[in-house]
Amino acid sequence: MSFPWLLETDSKSLRSVNGSRRNSGSSLVSSSSASSNLSHLEEDSWILWGRIVNEWEDVRKKKEKQLKELVRKGIPHHFRAIVWQLLCDAQNLPIKEQYSELLKMTSPCEKLIRRDIARTYPEHEFFKEKDSLGQEVLFNVMKAYSLVDREVGYCQGSAFIVGLLLMQMPEEEAFCVFVKLMQDYRLRELFKPSMAELGLCMYQFEYMIQEQLPELHVHFQAQSFHTSMYASSWFLTIFLTSFPLPVATRIFDIFMCEGLEVVFRVGMAILQMNQAELMQLDMEGMLQHFQKVIPHQLDSGPDKVIQAAYQVKYNAKKMKKLEKEYTTIKTKEMEEQVEIKRLRTENRLLKQRIDTLEKKVNPRYSEEFILQLERELVQARLKEAESQCALKEMQDKILDMEQRNASLPDENNVVRLQEELIGVKLREAEALTGLKELRQQVRDLEEHWQRHLARTAGRWKDSPRKNAMSELQDELMSVRLREAEAQAELRETRQRMLELETQNQRHGNQMRRGELEARNLQERLQVLTNQNKTLHAELQEMKRKRAEIECKNKEEVMAVRLREADNIAAMAELQQQISELEIQKEEGKVQGQLNNTDSSQYIRDLKDQIADLKHEIRCLRGQQGLPDQPSFDGIHIVNHYGGDNESYQSSDEDGVKLSPHLTSHQIRGRITLHPNLEDSESEGDEEGETLRLTVPSNGSHKTTTV
């Protein structure tokens, strides 16, 4: 969603304000003259903030974190007016239409506003001249707000905030922004006549000092240097009266985006940066340091203090808790004030009754009146006795609780206990102060009564009846005075007992928490110890297994290498034997033809060679780890003699078992034939793994079936 009209309005407002301040020294310049002098970085910033303004709704919803980071780095001056209005949602407020009508009305705060106008930014060109445009618009805005919010009316510190707004935008927009700040940024509570919110801020800020800068807090307490003496203006004017204007304006940018949190952060950062110097100064020296030294530390710019501010620990939940505590304390104080008012009223009534009795010239006291006084005296004595009993019981409880507290062991968290003790002591001191005031009032009343007795002693000696009545009245008044004193002492004792019970409960809670934490730590230590032992045992077992595996691997590698070497040697030996057989074949060709006896012998030799070869193959396969294969049918060698058709077939004992993996062609390649068998005919059946060899030899045929 875009806001082109906002940019146009902002540009017009800048030109109008700039035209009215030509000799003012204000930092505002017209947009046309400024854009020509912008550096590349400023141009990028201009473009970025222009996009943010035009797409404000999307940026505010989807990129809030990035927007905060940009605001902390500083809003460009020319966008400050429009961005401030967007940050606090001050556009198109209905009250803007009433502004002109409000100016026509008369405010009861006008004299106060006129008196303080000259004190607001007295050195700034826009406001320093009497009856100048700046003073006039400042008066208008303050007067209009005093009419809108009559409960707050006018407070001096608010003029500095309005003055800063008027430096950035016209008076109508400044009025709307100020109204939103008062309503939504806790400023209205700060500027109320009771200033209750300021007291809360001081309470929260003092707690942060006590928690994060304990040594400085102790020094402030020792010097009676209260937080309100230096920090109240920080919260009422958002540092506008304490820091240079450019620095305060940058902080105000963040305040518009994040609220009063930035005041707490910057305040703590200032104290951290100056802690060493403040620790060496007394009260007067610290006041001078805050007024004169700290503002000049920021002349170089706000970046350092802003960066330090966001290193400060700020717990929003703790702040809410402190707010509840402060509300409870203030409620108790209000109740005590009501009680004091009630006692004062009773004292006043007693005085009036005494005065009435004194004014009676010739009082006539009946027997009924005397009896009434006696009954009142008896009731007063009974109440006094009950009060004394209750007081004695409370004192016994206090002694018992003090003994139990004395037997409690010391806790480790001494600092927190000391802080709680300080708070209890402060509340006790306040209660004691109130009780002292009550006692002083009782003493004053008693003195007044004694003076009254001295004045009326002569008149009451005339009649015995009058003297008896006077004695009864005197005794009644004395009993009432003692009763009031007993009530005050009883209240003090109850307060002390309540504080001791609170202390006792805190000690007990701390002891239980300590014991629980110790048990948890012991259990966790035992669990971790067991886990450590288990892991150590597993580690040793894994190391042992790893060593065994490495040893086995080395042995297997060596065995494989040995088998490979043996296989290579066996293959070489087989090749050598094959070569020798081939040589024998060649020699057989030279020797001539074989006879029938020689052929049979040759076949037997051939069978022996085949058996030896198969045995060597088995050995080789066994060394290589081949699985056992089913045995194959034996080789049957049958001799057929053509002359008489007599056949010879070898027996099963003569058979040779071959592996089924060998085909007829492989067998043909493995069998070494007699030199005269090269003309043999072969017939193979690969499916049945059978090879038939027909060998002609001197008119006869030898058939070999495999």
Side-chain angles (χ1 to χ4, degrees):
M1 183 177 180
S2 62
F3 298 88
W5 59 273
L6 289 177
L7 289 175
E8 182 180 358
T9 305
D10 184 45
S11 178
K12 291 179 181 179
S13 64
L14 289 173
R15 286 197 295 272
S16 63
V17 175
N18 187 54
S20 64
R21 308 181 199 175
R22 290 171 183 168
N23 300 321
S24 64
S26 172
S27 59
L28 289 175
V29 293
S30 64
S31 58
S32 60
S33 61
S35 60
S36 61
N37 297 324
L38 290 175
S39 63
H40 292 294
L41 183 59
E42 292 173 337
E43 289 177 358
D44 294 340
S45 178
W46 182 283
I47 295 171
L48 176 60
W49 279 98
R51 290 177 179 173
I52 290 173
V53 170
N54 287 330
E55 300 173 1
W56 179 257
E57 294 296 332
D58 293 337
V59 172
R60 189 68 181 270
K61 293 178 181 178
K62 300 179 181 178
K63 300 181 180 179
E64 184 176 2
K65 185 177 180 181
Q66 294 87 337
L67 180 62
K68 285 184 179 180
E69 293 294 332
L70 286 173
V71 172
R72 290 173 189 173
K73 294 178 181 179
I75 301 172
H77 180 72
H78 304 87
F79 286 94
R80 188 164 278 142
I82 188 64
V83 172
W84 282 3
Q85 294 180 52
L86 291 171
L87 284 171
C88 66
D89 295 327
Q91 316 96 306
N92 294 331
L93 285 182
I95 199 171
K96 185 176 181 181
E97 305 298 330
Q98 305 174 13
Y99 182 73
S100 58
E101 297 297 327
L102 292 171
L103 296 182
K104 299 176 183 179
M105 300 169 63
T106 302
S107 171
C109 304
E110 289 186 10
K111 290 184 179 180
L112 291 175
I113 297 172
R114 287 289 185 190
R115 183 192 66 188
D116 292 337
I117 285 296
R119 304 176 188 176
T120 306
Y121 298 113
E123 298 179 358
H124 197 281
E125 292 292 334
F126 190 51
F127 299 102
K128 72 178 183 179
E129 295 182 5
K130 186 176 181 181
D131 299 329
S132 62
L133 175 62
Q135 290 191 3
E136 188 63 29
V137 294
L138 179 58
F139 173 80
N140 291 342
V141 175
M142 299 309 302
K143 171 187 171 182
Y145 186 79
S146 68
L147 292 169
V148 170
D149 189 353
R150 294 184 180 272
E151 182 183 1
V152 174
Y154 166 73
C155 187
Q156 183 180 3
S158 60
F160 288 92
I161 297 176
V162 174
L164 179 65
L165 297 176
L166 290 170
M167 295 179 198
Q168 311 295 331
M169 62 190 75
E171 58 182 292
E172 293 86 354
E173 284 81 357
F175 172 70
C176 294
V177 172
F178 184 65
V179 169
K180 291 294 290 184
L181 291 179
M182 295 292 284
Q183 293 175 352
D184 300 340
Y185 286 73
R186 296 171 62 183
L187 293 186
R188 186 174 185 275
E189 302 299 325
L190 282 173
F191 290 127
K192 276 185 177 180
S194 63
M195 289 191 171
E197 193 74 10
L198 181 61
L200 171 60
C201 291
M202 296 297 101
Y203 183 77
Q204 293 171 330
F205 190 66
E206 185 172 358
Y207 173 82
M208 291 181 68
I209 299 173
Q210 185 177 358
E211 185 182 43
Q212 302 183 30
L213 302 173
E215 296 179 357
L216 186 61
H217 179 263
V218 172
H219 179 67
F220 283 169
Q221 294 291 328
Q223 296 293 328
S224 298
F225 192 60
H226 301 293
T227 309
S228 59
M229 297 174 68
Y230 62 91
S232 57
S233 62
W234 293 353
F235 288 89
L236 289 173
T237 65
I238 320 299
F239 298 103
L240 290 171
T241 59
S242 305
F243 293 171
L245 190 58
V247 177
T249 305
R250 280 283 303 278
I251 296 174
F252 202 84
D253 286 342
I254 305 174
F255 168 74
M256 295 292 294
C257 184
E258 302 181 26
L260 279 178
E261 177 183 340
V262 69
V263 182
F264 287 98
R265 289 183 175 276
V266 173
M268 287 299 300
I270 292 295
L271 294 180
Q272 288 176 354
M273 294 165 61
N274 293 270
Q275 181 178 4
E277 293 82 356
L278 292 172
M279 292 289 291
Q280 307 297 325
L281 301 174
D282 57 4
M283 179 193 293
E284 186 176 353
M286 287 188 288
L287 281 174
Q288 294 292 326
H289 190 82
F290 276 103
Q291 292 173 1
K292 296 182 179 180
V293 178
I294 290 179
H296 293 293
Q297 293 177 351
L298 305 175
D299 288 339
S300 59
D303 292 331
K304 182 178 179 181
V305 70
I306 291 176
Q307 185 177 2
Y310 281 91
Q311 301 299 322
V312 172
K313 296 179 181 179
Y314 181 88
N315 191 337
K317 292 183 179 179
K318 185 62 179 179
M319 288 298 183
K320 289 289 185 183
K321 185 177 179 181
L322 291 173
E323 183 177 354
K324 293 180 180 178
E325 291 179 1
Y326 182 78
T327 304
T328 304
I329 293 172
K330 285 299 177 182
T331 303
K332 290 182 179 179
E333 289 180 356
M334 292 295 294
E335 292 176 355
E336 291 176 356
Q337 290 178 1
V338 170
E339 182 68 17
I340 291 172
K341 288 181 180 179
R342 186 185 65 80
L343 292 174
R344 287 177 178 173
T345 303
E346 290 181 358
N347 290 335
R348 187 173 65 253
L349 293 174
L350 286 173
K351 288 180 180 180
Q352 291 176 359
R353 188 174 179 182
I354 291 170
D355 293 339
T356 303
L357 291 173
E358 289 178 350
K359 291 178 181 179
K360 291 182 178 181
V361 179
N362 188 18
R364 295 179 180 178
Y365 302 103
S366 63
E367 293 181 359
E368 294 181 358
F369 182 70
I370 294 173
L371 292 174
Q372 179 66 25
L373 289 176
E374 289 178 350
R375 284 194 294 269
E376 290 182 2
L377 178 60
V378 171
Q379 291 177 359
R381 286 179 176 175
L382 289 174
K383 288 183 179 179
E384 182 181 5
E386 291 176 357
S387 300
Q388 291 295 335
C389 292
L391 180 61
K392 181 64 176 175
E393 184 180 354
M394 293 296 179
Q395 289 175 348
D396 294 339
K397 285 185 178 180
I398 289 172
L399 290 176
D400 185 25
M401 293 180 68
E402 286 180 346
Q403 291 175 358
R404 279 189 288 174
N405 287 338
S407 64
L408 290 174
D410 294 334
E411 296 293 331
N412 294 327
N413 197 355
V414 179
V415 176
R416 187 169 63 185
L417 290 176
Q418 289 177 349
E419 293 173 356
E420 294 178 355
L421 180 60
I422 290 172
V424 172
K425 290 293 184 183
L426 289 174
R427 291 193 293 272
E428 181 182 4
E430 293 175 357
L432 289 176
T433 302
L435 291 172
K436 286 179 181 178
E437 292 178 357
L438 289 175
R439 286 182 175 178
Q440 183 65 34
Q441 292 173 0
V442 171
R443 284 194 294 270
D444 293 342
L445 182 59
E446 188 175 3
E447 291 175 0
H448 183 73
W449 176 247
Q450 294 296 332
R451 287 195 300 270
H452 165 70
L453 292 178
R455 288 196 304 269
T456 59
R459 290 183 295 174
W460 291 354
K461 290 180 180 179
D462 298 333
S463 172
R465 190 173 184 178
K466 291 181 179 180
N467 291 336
M469 188 202 64
S470 299
E471 290 176 359
L472 289 174
Q473 288 180 342
D474 294 343
E475 190 173 359
L476 176 61
M477 182 57 66
S478 300
V479 169
R480 287 182 178 176
L481 290 174
R482 287 196 299 272
E483 180 185 2
E485 291 178 352
Q487 290 290 341
E489 188 174 0
L490 178 61
R491 184 177 179 183
E492 179 182 356
T493 305
R494 285 178 177 173
Q495 177 71 20
R496 188 178 177 188
M497 186 189 70
L498 180 61
E499 292 171 356
L500 289 174
E501 286 178 350
T502 303
Q503 262 187 347
N504 189 17
Q505 186 177 3
R506 287 176 179 171
H507 283 299
N509 292 336
Q510 289 174 356
M511 288 181 62
R512 285 193 294 273
R513 286 197 299 270
E515 291 173 355
L516 181 60
E517 290 177 356
R519 285 198 299 270
N520 292 336
L521 289 175
Q522 288 178 355
E523 292 175 358
R524 183 169 179 79
L525 178 61
Q526 185 65 30
V527 171
L528 292 176
T529 303
N530 295 334
Q531 290 180 353
N532 190 16
K533 290 181 180 178
T534 304
L535 292 174
H536 185 70
E538 291 178 356
L539 179 62
Q540 295 297 328
E541 182 66 19
M542 290 177 65
K543 287 183 178 179
R544 186 184 64 78
K545 289 182 178 180
R546 180 181 176 184
E548 291 178 356
I549 292 172
E550 288 179 352
C551 183
K552 288 181 180 179
N553 289 337
K554 289 180 181 179
E555 291 176 356
E556 290 177 358
V557 169
M558 293 299 297
V560 169
R561 289 180 178 176
L562 290 174
R563 286 198 298 270
E564 288 179 354
D566 294 339
N567 291 337
I568 292 172
M571 292 296 294
E573 185 177 355
L574 287 175
Q575 290 178 355
Q576 180 66 27
Q577 291 178 3
I578 291 171
S579 300
E580 291 176 356
L581 290 174
E582 288 178 353
I583 293 172
Q584 290 178 4
K585 177 183 175 181
E586 294 296 329
E587 290 176 353
K589 289 182 180 180
V590 177
Q591 289 178 0
Q593 296 180 350
L594 293 174
N595 53 22
N596 293 335
T597 304
D598 293 335
S599 298
S600 300
Q601 184 65 32
Y602 177 76
I603 290 171
R604 284 193 295 270
D605 294 337
L606 182 61
K607 287 164 58 178
D608 295 335
Q609 291 177 3
I610 290 172
D612 294 337
L613 289 175
K614 179 184 178 302
H615 179 70
E616 291 176 355
I617 290 171
R618 276 183 184 169
C619 293
L620 289 175
R621 286 178 176 170
Q623 292 175 0
Q624 293 177 357
L626 291 176
D628 295 337
Q629 302 292 343
S631 60
F632 188 70
D633 293 341
I635 299 175
H636 303 281
I637 301 174
V638 181
N639 294 328
H640 299 278
Y641 297 92
D644 54 2
N645 292 326
E646 182 181 358
S647 64
Y648 170 79
Q649 183 173 355
S650 64
S651 65
D652 291 337
E653 290 81 1
D654 297 331
V656 180
K657 304 294 183 179
L658 294 180
S659 171
H661 294 284
L662 297 176
T663 63
S664 59
H665 299 288
Q666 293 171 330
I667 293 173
R668 186 184 299 118
R670 291 284 185 141
I671 296 176
T672 303
L673 300 178
H674 193 273
N676 293 330
L677 301 179
E678 67 269 17
D679 297 329
S680 65
E681 296 179 1
S682 64
E683 181 178 350
D685 183 7
E686 292 183 2
E687 182 177 1
E689 299 295 335
T690 302
L691 180 65
R692 303 178 70 84
L693 299 177
T694 303
V695 183
S697 176
N698 296 328
S700 65
H701 293 79
K702 183 189 294 182
T703 301
T704 301
T705 303
V706 182

